[in-house]
Amino acid sequence: VNWPDVANDSRFVTETDKNTLYIGALNFNYNFWPYNIKEVRKAISECFDYTTFLNTSMHGLATRATGCIPKGLPGYDPSIVPYTYNLADAKQLFQQAGFSKNNSTTLTFYYNTGNSNRKAILLMLKTNIESLDVGITVNVQDMAWTEYVPAMSASRLPVYMVAWQADYPGSDNFVSCYVSSNGYYGRLDGYRNASVDALYEQALATTDPAKQNDLYKQIMVGSNADFPFMYTYTPLETLCYRKGVSGVVWNTINSGLFVRYNTMSK
């Protein structure tokens, strides 16, 4: 919110191109109808205007997340784009899944109270989905974090906004979380893909970096084809410090942790 103020202040040095190990996503819980229908998951994902969101809500200080592995880790490939903003195709997909204005349905999307970015994403989805006139009304519901986490952990939320921040800088930290059937969200949301699981086991077992990189790319492509998540964005870290200060060093694993150890001087 305050970035334009400091970015235009000659007293400061500002840096905006610092990559982070973070992936935001809209999670679909396979245990609930209609999120167990592939066409519905894809349709919802095609109702989000990624470019507009990045340029407005994120002020250009984020990149689009295109799968379960963030930029900077093995397996990330910028050419992999799982879905695009396409309302015409989304409408057809909803209709193929049986939705029509003669059979109205209300869907509830959840986010944690106070998270303005997640709220903006869901409100955009609400506007675009309802504009398709296929009988769907979207209820955007916030929930206090103290209630949100227990509800998510108990698999009580049909569809919800959340993210994953690296515990350590490894592709497996994200693959295991998002698309492994034994991983964190796999257990919560019921996503299962035997081929992806097999590729993941191979990636863990190999000591060949090139082979591992290829396996992780296959995992990205294979899991994206299921549309288990609507991956949203990876924020770019913004650094701001007074001119004349030296010793500011960026490490991607610090992103979001708010604990940094730098020797700085002036």
Side-chain angles (χ1 to χ4, degrees), residues 6 34 44 62 93 95 106 112 119 127 129 134 138 145 150 162 260:
V6 295
I44 292 173
L93 289 169
Q95 291 172 333
T106 297
N112 54 299
K119 180 180 181 180
T127 297
I129 290 173
V134 290
V138 176
W145 189 250
V162 74
R260 299 173 188 163

Side-chain angles (χ1 to χ4, degrees), residues 14-20 61 71 236-239 250:
T14 56
E15 300 182 48
T16 62
D17 59 348
K18 306 304 179 185
N19 189 52
T20 62
L61 301 176
K71 180 181 178 180
L236 293 172
E237 182 73 11
T238 54
L239 300 183
W250 173 242

Side-chain angles (χ1 to χ4, degrees), residues 205-213:
T206 184
T207 56
D208 183 338
K211 182 178 180 180
Q212 187 179 70
N213 185 67

Side-chain angles (χ1 to χ4, degrees), residues 191-208:
Y191 174 63
R192 301 284 186 276
N193 184 316
S195 296
V196 168
D197 282 342
L199 289 168
Y200 179 46
E201 291 301 319
Q202 293 177 54
L204 291 176
T206 184
T207 56
D208 183 338

Side-chain angles (χ1 to χ4, degrees), residues 175-187 191 196-197 200:
V175 171
S176 64
C177 167
Y178 276 109
V179 298
S180 167
S181 61
N182 292 318
Y184 185 66
Y185 294 132
R187 294 195 305 271
Y191 174 63
V196 168
D197 282 342
Y200 179 46

Side-chain angles (χ1 to χ4, degrees), residues 197-232:
D197 282 342
L199 289 168
Y200 179 46
E201 291 301 319
Q202 293 177 54
L204 291 176
T206 184
T207 56
D208 183 338
K211 182 178 180 180
Q212 187 179 70
N213 185 67
D214 181 63
L215 288 167
Y216 280 133
K217 283 186 180 181
Q218 292 182 56
I219 289 171
M220 286 267 283
V221 173
S223 58
N224 281 353
D226 294 326
F227 305 97
F229 305 90
M230 186 190 86
Y231 297 106
T232 54

Side-chain angles (χ1 to χ4, degrees), residues 1 4 34 36 41 54 60 66 76 89 95 97 107 126-127 137 143-144 168 180 194 199 201 205 215 228 235 249 251:
V1 175
N36 56 345
R41 299 192 300 272
L54 292 176
T66 58
Y76 173 80
D89 190 57
Q95 291 172 333
L107 304 179
K126 172 182 172 66
T127 297
T137 298
M143 184 179 291
Y168 53 89
S180 167
L199 289 168
E201 291 301 319
L215 288 167
V249 179
N251 186 328

